[in-house]
Protein backbone atom coordinates (compact mmCIF):
# COMPACT_ATOMS: atom_id res chain seq x y z
CA UNK A 1 0.00 0.00 0.00
CA UNK A 2 1.46 3.38 -0.93
CA UNK A 3 1.66 6.44 1.36
CA UNK A 4 -1.22 8.22 -0.37
CA UNK A 5 -3.56 5.27 0.12
CA UNK A 6 -2.56 5.03 3.78
CA UNK A 7 -3.33 8.72 4.32
CA UNK A 8 -6.74 8.34 2.72
CA UNK A 9 -7.62 5.38 4.93
CA UNK A 10 -6.25 6.73 8.21
CA UNK A 11 -9.01 7.74 10.62
CA UNK A 12 -9.15 11.38 11.54
CA UNK A 13 -8.01 12.33 15.05
CA UNK A 14 -10.76 14.98 15.02
CA UNK A 15 -14.40 14.29 15.85
CA UNK A 16 -16.75 14.61 12.90
CA UNK A 17 -20.07 16.42 13.02
CA UNK A 18 -22.87 13.87 12.89
CA UNK A 19 -25.95 16.11 13.05
CA UNK A 20 -27.13 19.63 12.31
CA UNK A 21 -26.45 20.95 15.82
CA UNK A 22 -22.86 19.70 15.74
CA UNK A 23 -22.34 21.12 12.24
CA UNK A 24 -23.70 24.51 13.32
CA UNK A 25 -21.44 24.51 16.39
CA UNK A 26 -18.47 23.59 14.22
CA UNK A 27 -19.21 26.47 11.84
CA UNK A 28 -19.55 28.87 14.78
CA UNK A 29 -16.24 27.65 16.20
CA UNK A 30 -14.54 28.18 12.84
CA UNK A 31 -15.87 31.73 12.58
CA UNK A 32 -14.90 32.50 16.18
CA UNK A 33 -11.33 31.26 15.84
CA UNK A 34 -10.86 32.94 12.45
CA UNK A 35 -12.10 36.27 13.81
CA UNK A 36 -9.95 35.99 16.94
CA UNK A 37 -6.84 35.11 14.94
CA UNK A 38 -7.47 37.92 12.45
CA UNK A 39 -7.96 40.44 15.25
CA UNK A 40 -4.78 39.31 16.95
CA UNK A 41 -2.75 39.55 13.74
CA UNK A 42 -4.17 43.00 13.01
CA UNK A 43 -3.17 44.26 16.49
CA UNK A 44 0.27 42.73 16.10
CA UNK A 45 0.68 44.33 12.67
CA UNK A 46 -0.27 47.76 14.03
CA UNK A 47 2.42 47.46 16.69
CA UNK A 48 5.05 46.33 14.18
CA UNK A 49 4.21 49.24 11.87
CA UNK A 50 4.54 51.59 14.84
CA UNK A 51 7.98 50.15 15.54
CA UNK A 52 6.88 48.52 18.80
CA UNK A 53 8.42 45.15 18.14
CA UNK A 54 8.77 44.07 21.77
CA UNK A 55 5.08 44.68 22.36
CA UNK A 56 4.18 42.87 19.14
CA UNK A 57 6.27 39.86 20.16
CA UNK A 58 4.16 39.48 23.30
CA UNK A 59 1.30 38.27 21.10
CA UNK A 60 3.28 35.21 20.00
CA UNK A 61 1.89 32.78 22.64
CA UNK A 62 -1.68 33.87 21.90
CA UNK A 63 -1.08 33.64 18.16
CA UNK A 64 0.34 30.15 18.58
CA UNK A 65 -2.71 29.06 20.59
CA UNK A 66 -5.14 30.60 18.10
CA UNK A 67 -3.29 28.92 15.23
CA UNK A 68 -3.48 25.57 17.05
CA UNK A 69 -7.22 26.04 17.55
CA UNK A 70 -7.64 26.99 13.89
CA UNK A 71 -5.86 23.84 12.72
CA UNK A 72 -8.06 21.78 15.04
CA UNK A 73 -11.30 23.28 13.73
CA UNK A 74 -10.17 22.87 10.13
CA UNK A 75 -9.37 19.23 10.96
CA UNK A 76 -12.89 18.81 12.30
CA UNK A 77 -14.30 20.38 9.14
CA UNK A 78 -12.33 17.90 7.03
CA UNK A 79 -13.47 15.01 9.21
CA UNK A 80 -17.06 16.25 8.83
CA UNK A 81 -16.87 16.67 5.07
CA UNK A 82 -19.10 13.68 4.31
CA UNK A 83 -21.91 14.86 6.62
CA UNK A 84 -21.57 18.50 5.58
CA UNK A 85 -21.74 17.68 1.87
CA UNK A 86 -24.89 15.62 2.44
CA UNK A 87 -26.56 18.14 4.72
CA UNK A 88 -25.62 21.39 2.95
CA UNK A 89 -27.78 22.67 0.13
CA UNK A 90 -26.19 22.65 -3.29
CA UNK A 91 -25.17 26.01 -4.74
Amino acid sequence: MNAQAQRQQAPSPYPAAANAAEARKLAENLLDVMNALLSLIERETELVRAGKLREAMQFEPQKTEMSRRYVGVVGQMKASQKYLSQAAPTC
Side-chain angles (χ1 to χ4, degrees):
M1 187 179 294
N2 65 29
Q4 185 178 6
Q6 287 177 341
R7 271 182 280 166
Q8 290 175 349
Q9 294 175 356
S12 174
Y14 302 103
N19 58 51
E22 290 176 2
R24 183 177 306 278
K25 182 67 175 166
L26 181 55
E28 289 170 358
N29 287 343
L30 180 60
L31 288 173
D32 289 346
V33 74
M34 285 175 53
N35 287 329
L37 186 55
L38 178 61
S39 176
L40 187 63
I41 291 170
E42 287 173 342
R43 287 185 287 166
E44 181 184 52
T45 301
E46 289 173 10
L47 290 170
V48 169
R49 287 182 179 157
K52 300 178 181 181
L53 299 179
R54 286 189 192 267
E55 291 177 44
M57 288 174 55
Q58 293 177 355
F59 287 108
E60 195 62 33
Q62 290 173 299
K63 194 167 64 172
T64 299
E65 175 60 21
M66 284 294 125
S67 297
R68 185 194 63 75
R69 286 183 52 204
Y70 175 79
V71 168
V73 173
V74 169
Q76 282 185 279
M77 292 291 283
K78 287 180 181 179
S80 303
Q81 183 177 2
K82 182 177 179 181
Y83 173 79
L84 295 174
S85 66
Q86 292 172 349
T90 57
C91 297

